[in-house]
Amino acid sequence: MPSGSDTPSDADGSPSSGRSPEAGSARRPGVLAAGLLLLGSAALPAFVVRTDPANPPFQGLDDQWLSWMGGPHDGPYAVLAAVLNWFGGPLGIVVPLALLLLLLLRGRWVSVGFLLGVYLAGNLLVVQGLKYLVDRPRPANPLVRVDHGSFPSGHAAGAALLVVLVGVLLVPAARRRAWWLGGVVFTSAMMWSRTWLHAHWLTDTAAGAAAGAGAGLLAWWLCAPALAREAARDRRGAAAAAPDTAPTVP
């Protein structure tokens, strides 16, 4: 509600009461706790599955869910699943590349390093590392081409990680709650598509989503001060470059 005076704000867009931009760059314990909890939710089941990859303790749940994902595999569901399969496959790299190009054009070098490091580490180290550790067999007769290792789902992990990266780098703090809710819907749709296509078990997709989101949140917590300082400099530069629109008095 307009108050007739300007209120300064922190680097995250919240009222600052005159504090410097660096005041909003502290690491938040909740982000660290969520990241560790999600990563643990992916890592602990991995060790459980590794003891018997073909028949883990929750195989009955996975079998039941897969039976619900039976045919017919056509109509609008097939279109949605095909789009999500494309988005999470090699061609889906266009979205992170577009984000990278945008950050380069804006000269946000810290964000560029954050995006590259977290995206590569999350997909190559966390997801592929767990795949090689567990090497769980996939469901029979998948409807799309798949590689080795069913646990965890790389598509679900990539979707959750991308939601976190875009939310951190592009979405203003005041709008992040809506973004996270939308991200949950998007990631859940990706999880559904992987099981509907018989490419993964349900627990593979849950672990993948947890691994991707957890890796992104933990990296955000580690890099929060540098990212906040860069965002504040970016806003100050934009404000300085904006034309002065105040009316002149003759």
Side-chain angles (χ1 to χ4, degrees), residues 12 24-28 30-32 34-35 114 118 161 164-165 167-169 171 173 176 180 213-228:
D12 64 355
S25 63
R27 296 185 177 100
R28 299 180 181 181
V31 174
L32 173 62
F114 176 79
V118 178
L161 180 58
V164 174
L165 290 175
V168 170
L169 296 175
V171 180
R176 279 187 184 142
W180 299 141
L217 291 174
L218 182 58
W220 182 20
W221 181 82
L222 290 170
C223 301
L227 291 170

Side-chain angles (χ1 to χ4, degrees), residues 127-154:
V127 176
Q128 294 301 320
L130 289 175
K131 279 182 177 288
Y132 279 98
L133 173 68
V134 176
D135 199 23
R136 184 185 190 185
R138 290 181 183 266
N141 305 315
L143 302 180
V144 290
R145 293 184 60 182
V146 294
D147 58 10
H148 83 93
S150 188
F151 185 101
S153 166

Side-chain angles (χ1 to χ4, degrees), residues 43-103:
L44 290 179
F47 288 99
V48 174
V49 176
R50 189 170 184 265
T51 60
D52 188 1
N55 190 32
F58 38 76
Q59 186 62 49
L61 170 64
D62 285 335
D63 288 335
Q64 180 62 61
W65 180 266
L66 194 66
S67 70
W68 292 339
M69 294 294 103
H73 288 80
D74 52 20
Y77 294 120
V79 175
L80 176 59
V83 170
L84 291 170
N85 180 65
W86 170 88
F87 187 88
L91 293 178
I93 194 67
V94 296
V95 176
L97 286 178
L99 177 57
L100 179 64
L101 179 60
L102 175 63
L103 295 173

